[in-house]
Amino acid sequence: MVDGFELFTDRSVVAMRVNGELKDLATTVTDADQVEPVTIDSPDGLSILRHSAAHVLAQAVQSVNPEAKLGIGPPVTDGFYYDFDVAEAFSTEDLKALEKEMGRIIRSGQRFVRRVVTDDEARAELANEPYKLELIGLKGSGGHGKGSGDDHESVEVGAGELTIYDNVDPKSGEVAWKDLCRGPHLPNTRMIGNGWALQRVAGAYWRGSEKNPQLQRIYGTAWPTKDELRAYQHRLEEAAKRDHRKLGKDLDLFSFPDEIGSGLSVWHPKGGVIRGEMEQHARRRHIEGGYTYVYTPHISKEDLFLTSNHLVTYKDGMFPPIVMDEERDADGNITKQGQDYYLKPMNCPMHILIYKERGRSYRDLPMRLAENGTVYRNELSGALHGLTRVRGFTQDDSHLFVTPEQLEAETTRVLEFVVSMLRDFGLEDFELELSMRDDEKSKWIGSDEFWEYSTNALRNVALASGLKLTEVPGEAAFYGPKIDLKTRDAIGRTWQLSTVQVDPNLPERFGLEYTGSDGEKHRPIMIHRALFGSIERFFAILLEHYAGAFPVWLAPVQVVGIPVAEQFSEYLDEIIAKLRSHGVRAEVDHSDDRMQKKIRTHTTQKVPLQLIAGEQDRSGGTVSFRFRDGTQTNGVPVDDAVALILGAIADRTLVNTAEDLA
């Protein structure tokens, strides 16, 4: 028997996978075990690095404030956090002191030592940690279950044995600190290196429930090297500049008035122009693609959502009911009981009723219904985030009803359509994720035959697309597999956009049928397809992707005319009028500001094309272009300028420089 240190001498190896399970390098293995190294720069290695950094943070907090009570400290995307119950909220100065203490612990090279304990032993050792004591009771559920608001509890306890990790001083051999944890961890704190930093403090309810105490959450990040940390911090700075909430305010696109309520947006004229262009372009493409637009109400009686099962599986995400249709006599006595109505959280049940309105034949299929339907979700106030997480939003929903034989061909058509549409908006970097069933048959409904042919159909479609494909067992909906399309934006962030979900469940619940070529009744398969996800969220993604500097076709003001002096305004008015006659959103700045201030104003507003005219232009029948990057092209004949502008709009070109327009 040997341990991982003997097997792997490369210092980049921080853990190992033994028979498929992550283990510390101190674990002993035999020749019969299948062992793979885990390097620090791999996804698993990064999680281990970040979780180890979270432990050091917690040790530092209790070193500075021994009365602090520990919550949980999992790794998350790009970093980690740890929750604490403290008498006073952490300040910026506290974070500086904690970073200093963390640096000391990291340099000391404390060893992370795993120790198996019984439940009673863990309770005795952690008697002063009430939140840890509660987690011990979760052992066996892996931290999941009803009332568990945070999957990250699984970093503490799992379904197997209970373990504590001791941080052991390498010189004295004494335990400097300990924490309930599943592990694994780095061999020692020194391997955390110097590619880490604390970031911010936030409030967080224990186990994600507003009924529980609110704790103080400290966020941090950790990377294998200082250079990777700096690159990440640069990405954060760039993301802050692109924050759609700030851009929405600066560019006067949308707002969230307090008088209306949290998570409910209003769109200003400029934002409305962009949204209108998005919707109109999508509508044209859908109609060309064989879709038919439908319209459905925002509210429905509860029976609809009972049949669809939303009031069972999704009730917490729905707004409370509105009681209507109650009738009373002259004395105020109820003569007819009212009914509960709900704001719709999804459009699909109403599209199903459109299908069900009359008999359908196989000749009617595939049937493609599309709608820009506003839906309402009862999101927690703490989860709301600009336009990306709201309570009222518009889904560009499509529901397709197909025969089983049509499933693969129609899914191929859907995926090609989705990718083509997203490319129209300037997105190019895509990958796919296929969510499938796993071997736990109790979690899924439907026959093995259905799962096999539907999963194979989606896999064939994904492979034929040529895009990178990741298969994820166990992540399918309980009734069918799905494909999620992800894209990267201009600064490398990944966003999940479109979903193609196979659904035999709702057709079954609503008793949908079609008459086949054999004259018999058959059950159609339903495909849920969201292109943007929601128009609000997609708008926010585009706004950040372009940092507000949209392609000409989407820009709220496409062209602004700036006269060198007042006497050239009339000349520019004629040019702008010609552009407007072609549908271009163009205007002349007739303000009293000096020319240079006008240029700065419209550059700040990210107008793609500024047309400047002075005496030389008026005499020669030309105009000068000024671009977002500050460069200029002079002496362009007016007809040529109009043609260039119309071409940029028609081609959906992103114009920031003279070369872009050429």
mmCIF file with all atom_site columns, all heavy atoms in Angstrom, residues 70 117 120-133 136 156 162-164 178-181:
data_model
loop_
_atom_site.group_PDB
_atom_site.id
_atom_site.type_symbol
_atom_site.label_atom_id
_atom_site.label_alt_id
_atom_site.label_comp_id
_atom_site.label_asym_id
_atom_site.label_entity_id
_atom_site.label_seq_id
_atom_site.pdbx_PDB_ins_code
_atom_site.Cartn_x
_atom_site.Cartn_y
_atom_site.Cartn_z
_atom_site.occupancy
_atom_site.B_iso_or_equiv
_atom_site.pdbx_formal_charge
_atom_site.auth_seq_id
_atom_site.auth_comp_id
_atom_site.auth_asym_id
_atom_site.auth_atom_id
_atom_site.pdbx_PDB_model_num
ATOM 1   N N   . LEU A 1 70  ? -19.379 29.487 13.398 1.00 0.00 ? 70  LEU A N   1
ATOM 2   C CA  . LEU A 1 70  ? -19.147 29.080 12.017 1.00 0.00 ? 70  LEU A CA  1
ATOM 3   C C   . LEU A 1 70  ? -20.416 28.577 11.338 1.00 0.00 ? 70  LEU A C   1
ATOM 4   O O   . LEU A 1 70  ? -21.163 27.786 11.910 1.00 0.00 ? 70  LEU A O   1
ATOM 5   C CB  . LEU A 1 70  ? -18.096 27.966 11.971 1.00 0.00 ? 70  LEU A CB  1
ATOM 6   C CG  . LEU A 1 70  ? -16.729 28.293 12.569 1.00 0.00 ? 70  LEU A CG  1
ATOM 7   C CD1 . LEU A 1 70  ? -15.840 27.049 12.527 1.00 0.00 ? 70  LEU A CD1 1
ATOM 8   C CD2 . LEU A 1 70  ? -16.065 29.438 11.817 1.00 0.00 ? 70  LEU A CD2 1
ATOM 9   N N   . VAL A 1 117 ? -14.922 10.747 12.569 1.00 0.00 ? 117 VAL A N   1
ATOM 10  C CA  . VAL A 1 117 ? -15.504 10.819 13.911 1.00 0.00 ? 117 VAL A CA  1
ATOM 11  C C   . VAL A 1 117 ? -16.924 10.273 13.870 1.00 0.00 ? 117 VAL A C   1
ATOM 12  O O   . VAL A 1 117 ? -17.571 10.236 12.823 1.00 0.00 ? 117 VAL A O   1
ATOM 13  C CB  . VAL A 1 117 ? -15.526 12.273 14.433 1.00 0.00 ? 117 VAL A CB  1
ATOM 14  C CG1 . VAL A 1 117 ? -14.120 12.785 14.686 1.00 0.00 ? 117 VAL A CG1 1
ATOM 15  C CG2 . VAL A 1 117 ? -16.272 13.200 13.463 1.00 0.00 ? 117 VAL A CG2 1
ATOM 16  N N   . ASP A 1 120 ? -21.590 11.441 17.800 1.00 0.00 ? 120 ASP A N   1
ATOM 17  C CA  . ASP A 1 120 ? -21.461 11.890 19.194 1.00 0.00 ? 120 ASP A CA  1
ATOM 18  C C   . ASP A 1 120 ? -20.122 12.574 19.423 1.00 0.00 ? 120 ASP A C   1
ATOM 19  O O   . ASP A 1 120 ? -20.041 13.585 20.144 1.00 0.00 ? 120 ASP A O   1
ATOM 20  C CB  . ASP A 1 120 ? -21.614 10.704 20.153 1.00 0.00 ? 120 ASP A CB  1
ATOM 21  C CG  . ASP A 1 120 ? -23.066 10.213 20.226 1.00 0.00 ? 120 ASP A CG  1
ATOM 22  O OD1 . ASP A 1 120 ? -23.965 10.988 19.836 1.00 0.00 ? 120 ASP A OD1 1
ATOM 23  O OD2 . ASP A 1 120 ? -23.279 9.063  20.660 1.00 0.00 ? 120 ASP A OD2 1
ATOM 24  N N   . GLU A 1 121 ? -19.050 12.045 18.823 1.00 0.00 ? 121 GLU A N   1
ATOM 25  C CA  . GLU A 1 121 ? -17.740 12.684 18.966 1.00 0.00 ? 121 GLU A CA  1
ATOM 26  C C   . GLU A 1 121 ? -17.740 14.071 18.332 1.00 0.00 ? 121 GLU A C   1
ATOM 27  O O   . GLU A 1 121 ? -17.188 15.028 18.886 1.00 0.00 ? 121 GLU A O   1
ATOM 28  C CB  . GLU A 1 121 ? -16.663 11.812 18.316 1.00 0.00 ? 121 GLU A CB  1
ATOM 29  C CG  . GLU A 1 121 ? -16.345 10.550 19.098 1.00 0.00 ? 121 GLU A CG  1
ATOM 30  C CD  . GLU A 1 121 ? -15.457 9.594  18.312 1.00 0.00 ? 121 GLU A CD  1
ATOM 31  O OE1 . GLU A 1 121 ? -15.413 9.692  17.062 1.00 0.00 ? 121 GLU A OE1 1
ATOM 32  O OE2 . GLU A 1 121 ? -14.813 8.736  18.949 1.00 0.00 ? 121 GLU A OE2 1
ATOM 33  N N   . ALA A 1 122 ? -18.375 14.181 17.162 1.00 0.00 ? 122 ALA A N   1
ATOM 34  C CA  . ALA A 1 122 ? -18.450 15.481 16.494 1.00 0.00 ? 122 ALA A CA  1
ATOM 35  C C   . ALA A 1 122 ? -19.238 16.475 17.336 1.00 0.00 ? 122 ALA A C   1
ATOM 36  O O   . ALA A 1 122 ? -18.852 17.645 17.475 1.00 0.00 ? 122 ALA A O   1
ATOM 37  C CB  . ALA A 1 122 ? -19.093 15.323 15.120 1.00 0.00 ? 122 ALA A CB  1
ATOM 38  N N   . ARG A 1 123 ? -20.335 16.026 17.934 1.00 0.00 ? 123 ARG A N   1
ATOM 39  C CA  . ARG A 1 123 ? -21.146 16.924 18.761 1.00 0.00 ? 123 ARG A CA  1
ATOM 40  C C   . ARG A 1 123 ? -20.365 17.384 19.993 1.00 0.00 ? 123 ARG A C   1
ATOM 41  O O   . ARG A 1 123 ? -20.492 18.540 20.419 1.00 0.00 ? 123 ARG A O   1
ATOM 42  C CB  . ARG A 1 123 ? -22.434 16.218 19.187 1.00 0.00 ? 123 ARG A CB  1
ATOM 43  C CG  . ARG A 1 123 ? -23.424 16.011 18.045 1.00 0.00 ? 123 ARG A CG  1
ATOM 44  C CD  . ARG A 1 123 ? -24.770 15.495 18.556 1.00 0.00 ? 123 ARG A CD  1
ATOM 45  N NE  . ARG A 1 123 ? -25.686 15.265 17.448 1.00 0.00 ? 123 ARG A NE  1
ATOM 46  C CZ  . ARG A 1 123 ? -25.931 14.094 16.893 1.00 0.00 ? 123 ARG A CZ  1
ATOM 47  N NH1 . ARG A 1 123 ? -25.305 12.997 17.375 1.00 0.00 ? 123 ARG A NH1 1
ATOM 48  N NH2 . ARG A 1 123 ? -26.766 13.972 15.889 1.00 0.00 ? 123 ARG A NH2 1
ATOM 49  N N   . ALA A 1 124 ? -19.569 16.493 20.565 1.00 0.00 ? 124 ALA A N   1
ATOM 50  C CA  . ALA A 1 124 ? -18.776 16.858 21.746 1.00 0.00 ? 124 ALA A CA  1
ATOM 51  C C   . ALA A 1 124 ? -17.702 17.877 21.370 1.00 0.00 ? 124 ALA A C   1
ATOM 52  O O   . ALA A 1 124 ? -17.487 18.865 22.078 1.00 0.00 ? 124 ALA A O   1
ATOM 53  C CB  . ALA A 1 124 ? -18.148 15.607 22.363 1.00 0.00 ? 124 ALA A CB  1
ATOM 54  N N   . GLU A 1 125 ? -17.021 17.650 20.239 1.00 0.00 ? 125 GLU A N   1
ATOM 55  C CA  . GLU A 1 125 ? -15.935 18.548 19.837 1.00 0.00 ? 125 GLU A CA  1
ATOM 56  C C   . GLU A 1 125 ? -16.447 19.905 19.371 1.00 0.00 ? 125 GLU A C   1
ATOM 57  O O   . GLU A 1 125 ? -15.747 20.923 19.486 1.00 0.00 ? 125 GLU A O   1
ATOM 58  C CB  . GLU A 1 125 ? -15.110 17.906 18.722 1.00 0.00 ? 125 GLU A CB  1
ATOM 59  C CG  . GLU A 1 125 ? -14.294 16.716 19.172 1.00 0.00 ? 125 GLU A CG  1
ATOM 60  C CD  . GLU A 1 125 ? -13.266 16.312 18.115 1.00 0.00 ? 125 GLU A CD  1
ATOM 61  O OE1 . GLU A 1 125 ? -12.602 17.217 17.578 1.00 0.00 ? 125 GLU A OE1 1
ATOM 62  O OE2 . GLU A 1 125 ? -13.142 15.107 17.828 1.00 0.00 ? 125 GLU A OE2 1
ATOM 63  N N   . LEU A 1 126 ? -17.654 19.921 18.817 1.00 0.00 ? 126 LEU A N   1
ATOM 64  C CA  . LEU A 1 126 ? -18.194 21.159 18.242 1.00 0.00 ? 126 LEU A CA  1
ATOM 65  C C   . LEU A 1 126 ? -19.371 21.675 19.060 1.00 0.00 ? 126 LEU A C   1
ATOM 66  O O   . LEU A 1 126 ? -20.280 22.311 18.533 1.00 0.00 ? 126 LEU A O   1
ATOM 67  C CB  . LEU A 1 126 ? -18.629 20.904 16.793 1.00 0.00 ? 126 LEU A CB  1
ATOM 68  C CG  . LEU A 1 126 ? -17.516 20.408 15.859 1.00 0.00 ? 126 LEU A CG  1
ATOM 69  C CD1 . LEU A 1 126 ? -18.099 19.944 14.528 1.00 0.00 ? 126 LEU A CD1 1
ATOM 70  C CD2 . LEU A 1 126 ? -16.480 21.506 15.630 1.00 0.00 ? 126 LEU A CD2 1
ATOM 71  N N   . ALA A 1 127 ? -19.323 21.429 20.346 1.00 0.00 ? 127 ALA A N   1
ATOM 72  C CA  . ALA A 1 127 ? -20.447 21.789 21.218 1.00 0.00 ? 127 ALA A CA  1
ATOM 73  C C   . ALA A 1 127 ? -20.739 23.282 21.200 1.00 0.00 ? 127 ALA A C   1
ATOM 74  O O   . ALA A 1 127 ? -21.887 23.697 21.438 1.00 0.00 ? 127 ALA A O   1
ATOM 75  C CB  . ALA A 1 127 ? -20.159 21.322 22.651 1.00 0.00 ? 127 ALA A CB  1
ATOM 76  N N   . ASN A 1 128 ? -19.734 24.110 20.921 1.00 0.00 ? 128 ASN A N   1
ATOM 77  C CA  . ASN A 1 128 ? -19.919 25.560 20.910 1.00 0.00 ? 128 ASN A CA  1
ATOM 78  C C   . ASN A 1 128 ? -20.232 26.106 19.518 1.00 0.00 ? 128 ASN A C   1
ATOM 79  O O   . ASN A 1 128 ? -20.201 27.323 19.310 1.00 0.00 ? 128 ASN A O   1
ATOM 80  C CB  . ASN A 1 128 ? -18.662 26.252 21.456 1.00 0.00 ? 128 ASN A CB  1
ATOM 81  C CG  . ASN A 1 128 ? -18.450 25.969 22.930 1.00 0.00 ? 128 ASN A CG  1
ATOM 82  O OD1 . ASN A 1 128 ? -19.419 25.889 23.694 1.00 0.00 ? 128 ASN A OD1 1
ATOM 83  N ND2 . ASN A 1 128 ? -17.199 25.804 23.328 1.00 0.00 ? 128 ASN A ND2 1
ATOM 84  N N   . GLU A 1 129 ? -20.498 25.213 18.569 1.00 0.00 ? 129 GLU A N   1
ATOM 85  C CA  . GLU A 1 129 ? -20.793 25.629 17.193 1.00 0.00 ? 129 GLU A CA  1
ATOM 86  C C   . GLU A 1 129 ? -22.214 25.171 16.838 1.00 0.00 ? 129 GLU A C   1
ATOM 87  O O   . GLU A 1 129 ? -22.417 24.088 16.283 1.00 0.00 ? 129 GLU A O   1
ATOM 88  C CB  . GLU A 1 129 ? -19.779 25.027 16.209 1.00 0.00 ? 129 GLU A CB  1
ATOM 89  C CG  . GLU A 1 129 ? -18.348 25.501 16.404 1.00 0.00 ? 129 GLU A CG  1
ATOM 90  C CD  . GLU A 1 129 ? -18.158 26.946 15.965 1.00 0.00 ? 129 GLU A CD  1
ATOM 91  O OE1 . GLU A 1 129 ? -19.121 27.556 15.446 1.00 0.00 ? 129 GLU A OE1 1
ATOM 92  O OE2 . GLU A 1 129 ? -17.049 27.472 16.144 1.00 0.00 ? 129 GLU A OE2 1
ATOM 93  N N   . PRO A 1 130 ? -23.225 25.978 17.152 1.00 0.00 ? 130 PRO A N   1
ATOM 94  C CA  . PRO A 1 130 ? -24.622 25.532 16.967 1.00 0.00 ? 130 PRO A CA  1
ATOM 95  C C   . PRO A 1 130 ? -24.972 25.197 15.520 1.00 0.00 ? 130 PRO A C   1
ATOM 96  O O   . PRO A 1 130 ? -25.774 24.282 15.279 1.00 0.00 ? 130 PRO A O   1
ATOM 97  C CB  . PRO A 1 130 ? -25.445 26.724 17.468 1.00 0.00 ? 130 PRO A CB  1
ATOM 98  C CG  . PRO A 1 130 ? -24.504 27.901 17.416 1.00 0.00 ? 130 PRO A CG  1
ATOM 99  C CD  . PRO A 1 130 ? -23.152 27.338 17.707 1.00 0.00 ? 130 PRO A CD  1
ATOM 100 N N   . TYR A 1 131 ? -24.400 25.910 14.576 1.00 0.00 ? 131 TYR A N   1
ATOM 101 C CA  . TYR A 1 131 ? -24.737 25.647 13.173 1.00 0.00 ? 131 TYR A CA  1
ATOM 102 C C   . TYR A 1 131 ? -24.120 24.333 12.706 1.00 0.00 ? 131 TYR A C   1
ATOM 103 O O   . TYR A 1 131 ? -24.716 23.605 11.906 1.00 0.00 ? 131 TYR A O   1
ATOM 104 C CB  . TYR A 1 131 ? -24.279 26.814 12.291 1.00 0.00 ? 131 TYR A CB  1
ATOM 105 C CG  . TYR A 1 131 ? -24.920 28.117 12.698 1.00 0.00 ? 131 TYR A CG  1
ATOM 106 C CD1 . TYR A 1 131 ? -24.202 29.069 13.418 1.00 0.00 ? 131 TYR A CD1 1
ATOM 107 C CD2 . TYR A 1 131 ? -26.254 28.378 12.401 1.00 0.00 ? 131 TYR A CD2 1
ATOM 108 C CE1 . TYR A 1 131 ? -24.793 30.256 13.825 1.00 0.00 ? 131 TYR A CE1 1
ATOM 109 C CE2 . TYR A 1 131 ? -26.857 29.567 12.801 1.00 0.00 ? 131 TYR A CE2 1
ATOM 110 C CZ  . TYR A 1 131 ? -26.125 30.504 13.510 1.00 0.00 ? 131 TYR A CZ  1
ATOM 111 O OH  . TYR A 1 131 ? -26.719 31.670 13.915 1.00 0.00 ? 131 TYR A OH  1
ATOM 112 N N   . LYS A 1 132 ? -22.930 24.020 13.217 1.00 0.00 ? 132 LYS A N   1
ATOM 113 C CA  . LYS A 1 132 ? -22.311 22.732 12.888 1.00 0.00 ? 132 LYS A CA  1
ATOM 114 C C   . LYS A 1 132 ? -23.118 21.589 13.497 1.00 0.00 ? 132 LYS A C   1
ATOM 115 O O   . LYS A 1 132 ? -23.297 20.534 12.865 1.00 0.00 ? 132 LYS A O   1
ATOM 116 C CB  . LYS A 1 132 ? -20.864 22.685 13.405 1.00 0.00 ? 132 LYS A CB  1
ATOM 117 C CG  . LYS A 1 132 ? -19.942 23.737 12.813 1.00 0.00 ? 132 LYS A CG  1
ATOM 118 C CD  . LYS A 1 132 ? -19.729 23.541 11.336 1.00 0.00 ? 132 LYS A CD  1
ATOM 119 C CE  . LYS A 1 132 ? -18.754 24.569 10.791 1.00 0.00 ? 132 LYS A CE  1
ATOM 120 N NZ  . LYS A 1 132 ? -18.523 24.415 9.341  1.00 0.00 ? 132 LYS A NZ  1
ATOM 121 N N   . LEU A 1 133 ? -23.631 21.793 14.695 1.00 0.00 ? 133 LEU A N   1
ATOM 122 C CA  . LEU A 1 133 ? -24.435 20.751 15.332 1.00 0.00 ? 133 LEU A CA  1
ATOM 123 C C   . LEU A 1 133 ? -25.687 20.459 14.503 1.00 0.00 ? 133 LEU A C   1
ATOM 124 O O   . LEU A 1 133 ? -26.104 19.308 14.379 1.00 0.00 ? 133 LEU A O   1
ATOM 125 C CB  . LEU A 1 133 ? -24.829 21.186 16.745 1.00 0.00 ? 133 LEU A CB  1
ATOM 126 C CG  . LEU A 1 133 ? -23.681 21.333 17.752 1.00 0.00 ? 133 LEU A CG  1
ATOM 127 C CD1 . LEU A 1 133 ? -24.218 21.839 19.084 1.00 0.00 ? 133 LEU A CD1 1
ATOM 128 C CD2 . LEU A 1 133 ? -22.950 20.008 17.939 1.00 0.00 ? 133 LEU A CD2 1
ATOM 129 N N   . ILE A 1 136 ? -24.771 18.275 11.518 1.00 0.00 ? 136 ILE A N   1
ATOM 130 C CA  . ILE A 1 136 ? -24.523 16.860 11.829 1.00 0.00 ? 136 ILE A CA  1
ATOM 131 C C   . ILE A 1 136 ? -25.806 16.064 11.650 1.00 0.00 ? 136 ILE A C   1
ATOM 132 O O   . ILE A 1 136 ? -25.794 14.919 11.198 1.00 0.00 ? 136 ILE A O   1
ATOM 133 C CB  . ILE A 1 136 ? -23.956 16.714 13.260 1.00 0.00 ? 136 ILE A CB  1
ATOM 134 C CG1 . ILE A 1 136 ? -22.550 17.339 13.328 1.00 0.00 ? 136 ILE A CG1 1
ATOM 135 C CG2 . ILE A 1 136 ? -23.912 15.246 13.679 1.00 0.00 ? 136 ILE A CG2 1
ATOM 136 C CD1 . ILE A 1 136 ? -22.007 17.462 14.743 1.00 0.00 ? 136 ILE A CD1 1
ATOM 137 N N   . GLU A 1 156 ? -19.965 20.032 4.113  1.00 0.00 ? 156 GLU A N   1
ATOM 138 C CA  . GLU A 1 156 ? -19.780 19.739 5.527  1.00 0.00 ? 156 GLU A CA  1
ATOM 139 C C   . GLU A 1 156 ? -20.040 18.273 5.842  1.00 0.00 ? 156 GLU A C   1
ATOM 140 O O   . GLU A 1 156 ? -19.259 17.622 6.523  1.00 0.00 ? 156 GLU A O   1
ATOM 141 C CB  . GLU A 1 156 ? -20.739 20.611 6.359  1.00 0.00 ? 156 GLU A CB  1
ATOM 142 C CG  . GLU A 1 156 ? -20.637 22.100 6.065  1.00 0.00 ? 156 GLU A CG  1
ATOM 143 C CD  . GLU A 1 156 ? -19.453 22.747 6.767  1.00 0.00 ? 156 GLU A CD  1
ATOM 144 O OE1 . GLU A 1 156 ? -18.871 22.096 7.635  1.00 0.00 ? 156 GLU A OE1 1
ATOM 145 O OE2 . GLU A 1 156 ? -19.128 23.892 6.448  1.00 0.00 ? 156 GLU A OE2 1
ATOM 146 N N   . LEU A 1 162 ? -18.710 10.703 8.870  1.00 0.00 ? 162 LEU A N   1
ATOM 147 C CA  . LEU A 1 162 ? -18.535 12.092 9.274  1.00 0.00 ? 162 LEU A CA  1
ATOM 148 C C   . LEU A 1 162 ? -17.053 12.344 9.522  1.00 0.00 ? 162 LEU A C   1
ATOM 149 O O   . LEU A 1 162 ? -16.366 11.522 10.137 1.00 0.00 ? 162 LEU A O   1
ATOM 150 C CB  . LEU A 1 162 ? -19.347 12.340 10.551 1.00 0.00 ? 162 LEU A CB  1
ATOM 151 C CG  . LEU A 1 162 ? -19.763 13.768 10.877 1.00 0.00 ? 162 LEU A CG  1
ATOM 152 C CD1 . LEU A 1 162 ? -20.643 14.339 9.780  1.00 0.00 ? 162 LEU A CD1 1
ATOM 153 C CD2 . LEU A 1 162 ? -20.513 13.777 12.212 1.00 0.00 ? 162 LEU A CD2 1
ATOM 154 N N   . THR A 1 163 ? -16.551 13.487 9.054  1.00 0.00 ? 163 THR A N   1
ATOM 155 C CA  . THR A 1 163 ? -15.123 13.760 9.202  1.00 0.00 ? 163 THR A CA  1
ATOM 156 C C   . THR A 1 163 ? -14.887 15.187 9.671  1.00 0.00 ? 163 THR A C   1
ATOM 157 O O   . THR A 1 163 ? -15.664 16.096 9.374  1.00 0.00 ? 163 THR A O   1
ATOM 158 C CB  . THR A 1 163 ? -14.349 13.547 7.875  1.00 0.00 ? 163 THR A CB  1
ATOM 159 O OG1 . THR A 1 163 ? -14.950 14.336 6.850  1.00 0.00 ? 163 THR A OG1 1
ATOM 160 C CG2 . THR A 1 163 ? -14.372 12.089 7.462  1.00 0.00 ? 163 THR A CG2 1
ATOM 161 N N   . ILE A 1 164 ? -13.812 15.357 10.399 1.00 0.00 ? 164 ILE A N   1
ATOM 162 C CA  . ILE A 1 164 ? -13.310 16.671 10.822 1.00 0.00 ? 164 ILE A CA  1
ATOM 163 C C   . ILE A 1 164 ? -11.916 16.828 10.233 1.00 0.00 ? 164 ILE A C   1
ATOM 164 O O   . ILE A 1 164 ? -11.137 15.872 10.177 1.00 0.00 ? 164 ILE A O   1
ATOM 165 C CB  . ILE A 1 164 ? -13.272 16.781 12.362 1.00 0.00 ? 164 ILE A CB  1
ATOM 166 C CG1 . ILE A 1 164 ? -14.697 16.943 12.906 1.00 0.00 ? 164 ILE A CG1 1
ATOM 167 C CG2 . ILE A 1 164 ? -12.388 17.931 12.817 1.00 0.00 ? 164 ILE A CG2 1
ATOM 168 C CD1 . ILE A 1 164 ? -14.776 16.975 14.426 1.00 0.00 ? 164 ILE A CD1 1
ATOM 169 N N   . LYS A 1 178 ? -9.879  23.511 13.763 1.00 0.00 ? 178 LYS A N   1
ATOM 170 C CA  . LYS A 1 178 ? -10.536 22.357 13.140 1.00 0.00 ? 178 LYS A CA  1
ATOM 171 C C   . LYS A 1 178 ? -11.913 22.751 12.645 1.00 0.00 ? 178 LYS A C   1
ATOM 172 O O   . LYS A 1 178 ? -12.513 23.731 13.104 1.00 0.00 ? 178 LYS A O   1
ATOM 173 C CB  . LYS A 1 178 ? -10.636 21.189 14.125 1.00 0.00 ? 178 LYS A CB  1
ATOM 174 C CG  . LYS A 1 178 ? -11.433 21.503 15.386 1.00 0.00 ? 178 LYS A CG  1
ATOM 175 C CD  . LYS A 1 178 ? -11.317 20.362 16.385 1.00 0.00 ? 178 LYS A CD  1
ATOM 176 C CE  . LYS A 1 178 ? -11.964 20.749 17.723 1.00 0.00 ? 178 LYS A CE  1
ATOM 177 N NZ  . LYS A 1 178 ? -11.755 19.703 18.748 1.00 0.00 ? 178 LYS A NZ  1
ATOM 178 N N   . ASP A 1 179 ? -12.429 21.944 11.704 1.00 0.00 ? 179 ASP A N   1
ATOM 179 C CA  . ASP A 1 179 ? -13.740 22.232 11.129 1.00 0.00 ? 179 ASP A CA  1
ATOM 180 C C   . ASP A 1 179 ? -14.377 20.936 10.637 1.00 0.00 ? 179 ASP A C   1
ATOM 181 O O   . ASP A 1 179 ? -13.693 20.051 10.109 1.00 0.00 ? 179 ASP A O   1
ATOM 182 C CB  . ASP A 1 179 ? -13.612 23.210 9.962  1.00 0.00 ? 179 ASP A CB  1
ATOM 183 C CG  . ASP A 1 179 ? -14.938 23.838 9.558  1.00 0.00 ? 179 ASP A CG  1
ATOM 184 O OD1 . ASP A 1 179 ? -15.948 23.605 10.250 1.00 0.00 ? 179 ASP A OD1 1
ATOM 185 O OD2 . ASP A 1 179 ? -14.969 24.567 8.551  1.00 0.00 ? 179 ASP A OD2 1
ATOM 186 N N   . LEU A 1 180 ? -15.681 20.862 10.811 1.00 0.00 ? 180 LEU A N   1
ATOM 187 C CA  . LEU A 1 180 ? -16.462 19.760 10.243 1.00 0.00 ? 180 LEU A CA  1
ATOM 188 C C   . LEU A 1 180 ? -16.414 19.880 8.725  1.00 0.00 ? 180 LEU A C   1
ATOM 189 O O   . LEU A 1 180 ? -16.731 20.922 8.162  1.00 0.00 ? 180 LEU A O   1
ATOM 190 C CB  . LEU A 1 180 ? -17.903 19.865 10.737 1.00 0.00 ? 180 LEU A CB  1
ATOM 191 C CG  . LEU A 1 180 ? -18.886 18.784 10.281 1.00 0.00 ? 180 LEU A CG  1
ATOM 192 C CD1 . LEU A 1 180 ? -18.580 17.466 10.974 1.00 0.00 ? 180 LEU A CD1 1
ATOM 193 C CD2 . LEU A 1 180 ? -20.320 19.224 10.595 1.00 0.00 ? 180 LEU A CD2 1
ATOM 194 N N   . CYS A 1 181 ? -16.009 18.817 8.022  1.00 0.00 ? 181 CYS A N   1
ATOM 195 C CA  . CYS A 1 181 ? -15.825 18.949 6.577  1.00 0.00 ? 181 CYS A CA  1
ATOM 196 C C   . CYS A 1 181 ? -15.691 17.581 5.921  1.00 0.00 ? 181 CYS A C   1
ATOM 197 O O   . CYS A 1 181 ? -15.095 16.665 6.487  1.00 0.00 ? 181 CYS A O   1
ATOM 198 C CB  . CYS A 1 181 ? -14.568 19.774 6.290  1.00 0.00 ? 181 CYS A CB  1
ATOM 199 S SG  . CYS A 1 181 ? -14.298 20.100 4.547  1.00 0.00 ? 181 CYS A SG  1
#
